[in-house]
Every structure is written in structure tokens, then in C-alpha cells.
Amino acid sequence: MDVILRPVLLVIAVAAAACSGGDGGPVAGEPGPAVPAGPLVVLVRYGGLAGTNDRVAVDASGQATIISDRSPAPVERALAPADLASLRSALERSQIATLDRNYLDPRAADAYQYDVTYQGVTVTADEGALPATLRPVVDQLVKLLP
């Protein structure tokens, strides 16, 4: 039953974290462009030998929210400007809209599976079948996980 509840609890925690961030607009009395609401990119990594379930969402300002079934609470982290620029560049080069939506290998036992969501498109891939253009995005986001 614990195996069934973990993904459900993770989804609930992700939804709560997404709703708690405010509207992303400028602070009253301070001019400036509004930061788009919602994440820039989301990576969900699940599976592996231990059957883990991890999620990292990075918003447009470089704030990362990490949720892991190995941690009791979400972790917030700010990406350095250079790291955010590198991630944005990798996302643009990924050409995610042109990729197939699934890259699954039925022979991939105990491998991680990744869901990458960017610009409203989600690509799901087994670790060994990850498209080459998406690998730099996954590599950068996985570094943020515990």
C-alpha cells in the first residue's frame, strides 16, 4: 500500500507547492515585469533499483522546488544566474515540441524513467532511450535532486 500512496502523496505535495507561490507579479510599489506563473520546466524521475520518485520544478526566475520521497519536506533552491542561463539554452536546443512523446524501452529493468515538461509538452523516456537533445536538460536537473 505504501508503494501506491507515495506517488499520490507526491502529486498532492506538488500541487500544494505550485499553488503556494503567489501570482508572480511585481511587489507593490516596485515596477518590473511580472514573472510568469508556473514552472519553466519540470522533471519527474521515478523507478530505479529502489523505486524512487523525485520531482524538480524550476520557475522562470531560477527558483527550484525539489520534492523527493526520500525527504520529509520540499526543498527550495535558487539556481545561479549562469546555471539558469545554461538550463534555458539546453531547453531551447532540446526542440521538445518536435520530439516523440514516449521513448520507452520494454527491456529497461530497474532503470530510471523521466518525464520532462517544457512549454506544455511532456516527453517520457527511459534512461537508456533518452533523446540526445533532451539529455543536457535531464543532466542539469538531476544535479538538483538529493
Side-chain angles (χ1 to χ4, degrees), residues 12-27:
I12 291 169
V14 167
C19 292
S20 67
D23 68 356
V27 175

Side-chain angles (χ1 to χ4, degrees), residues 41-44 46 96-97 99-103 114-125 134:
V41 62
V42 176
L43 171 80
V44 179
Y46 45 97
I96 196 167
L99 297 175
D100 291 339
R101 298 302 172 251
N102 292 301
Y103 294 86
Y114 300 99
D115 294 342
V116 178
T117 303
Y118 173 61
Q119 295 184 334
V121 175
T122 299
V123 173
T124 299
L134 205 52

Side-chain angles (χ1 to χ4, degrees), residues 14-97:
V14 167
C19 292
S20 67
D23 68 356
V27 175
E30 293 183 20
V35 175
L40 170 69
V41 62
V42 176
L43 171 80
V44 179
R45 178 181 74 176
Y46 45 97
L49 288 173
T52 60
N53 196 332
D54 303 309
R55 179 188 190 274
V56 60
V58 178
D59 70 16
S61 69
Q63 187 67 28
T65 302
I66 300 125
I67 299 173
S68 174
D69 59 2
R70 295 178 309 275
S71 298
V75 174
E76 298 285 331
R77 232 180 111 182
L79 271 65
D83 292 337
L84 179 58
S86 177
L87 177 60
R88 285 181 180 274
S89 178
L91 286 164
E92 290 172 16
R93 286 191 315 269
S94 75
Q95 300 177 353
I96 196 167

